[in-house]
Amino acid sequence: MAENARSEFILGGQRSGKSRRAESLARQWLDGGTARHAVLIATGQAWDDEMRERIARHQRDRAERVPGMATVEEPITLAEALREHSTPHTLVVVDCLTLWLTNLSMPASGTPVDAKVHQLALCHAIEAAPGPLVLVGNEIGLGVIPMGREVRAFVDALGGLNQSVAAVCERVTLMTAGLPLHLKEPK
């Protein structure tokens, strides 16, 4: 990865350039040698027509921008997917942690799982990963305070997840208007 960061957590609002930065890092990684590989772990699920269209668009765009990057869909067991796909010669991109937390907190089955247990396992997997990682998530705590109890609880949970992941990643980047602001750099 660029500038020797083994792991980078990219945060930002919707359409801030988070995924583009992750794709750019993956392309740089792949351009570094034929023995290198890149895998995207996609956490989104297509529950309606709009989301199906959004996922298809992302797949088309990603195939153009980062040819050769494989895609694995994993909406729940993200720590296990990291352990399975991370190797010293494979860059793993996770897009996105916000949808992953949504899948845990508001599953289609109607029975939420303990997100804290999954969060702890994810942080351990990030720390133990033998290869480079890029994780993407939304920063949604900058706006007005949500009206509903459930929405406030989700914003709080996402803030906690973001803090935990930021603590274990070497670099943390905030994206705004397509521009990166590095909040944390490798030591």
Side-chain angles (χ1 to χ4, degrees):
M1 255 175 36
E3 305 169 34
N4 301 322
R6 188 193 63 77
S7 56
E8 181 167 344
F9 184 29
I10 304 170
L11 286 165
Q14 188 170 342
R15 304 293 301 162
S16 63
K18 303 177 304 291
S19 294
R20 285 264 177 125
R21 176 167 175 80
E23 291 169 357
S24 175
L25 292 171
R27 185 169 190 116
Q28 288 174 25
W29 172 260
L30 290 169
D31 288 346
T34 58
R36 291 183 173 191
H37 306 281
V39 173
L40 170 84
I41 300 175
T43 62
Q45 297 181 81
W47 295 114
D48 59 32
D49 289 340
E50 186 274 335
M51 191 61 170
R52 275 187 279 285
E53 183 179 313
R54 181 179 290 259
I55 289 171
R57 185 178 67 248
H58 277 278
Q59 290 169 338
R60 285 189 307 271
D61 292 348
R62 194 170 43 250
E64 280 184 32
R65 288 192 290 263
V66 193
M69 182 162 66
T71 299
V72 173
E73 295 181 8
E74 182 44 66
I76 301 293
T77 57
L78 189 51
E80 290 83 356
L82 279 179
R83 285 192 288 273
E84 180 181 343
H85 295 285
S86 181
T87 72
H89 300 290
T90 302
L91 172 87
V92 176
V93 176
V94 175
D95 199 351
C96 91
L97 294 181
T98 309
L99 288 174
W100 175 68
L101 182 62
T102 302
N103 297 335
L104 295 173
S105 304
M106 298 170 250
S109 68
T111 307
V113 293
D114 188 352
K116 292 271 188 197
V117 170
H118 285 269
Q119 180 177 317
L120 184 60
L122 174 64
C123 289
H124 287 309
I126 292 168
E127 290 177 309
L133 303 173
V134 176
L135 301 107
V136 176
N138 289 72
E139 176 52 70
I140 63 172
L142 298 173
V144 296
I145 298 171
M147 295 285 291
R149 179 177 55 86
E150 293 85 6
V151 178
R152 283 192 302 272
F154 181 80
V155 171
D156 289 346
L158 183 59
L161 172 63
N162 288 347
Q163 288 183 43
S164 295
V165 172
V168 297
C169 285
E170 290 183 3
R171 175 178 289 126
V172 178
T173 302
L174 178 66
M175 295 297 297
T176 302
L179 301 172
L181 174 62
H182 300 298
L183 305 176
K184 178 182 175 183
E185 290 286 350
K187 295 178 183 180

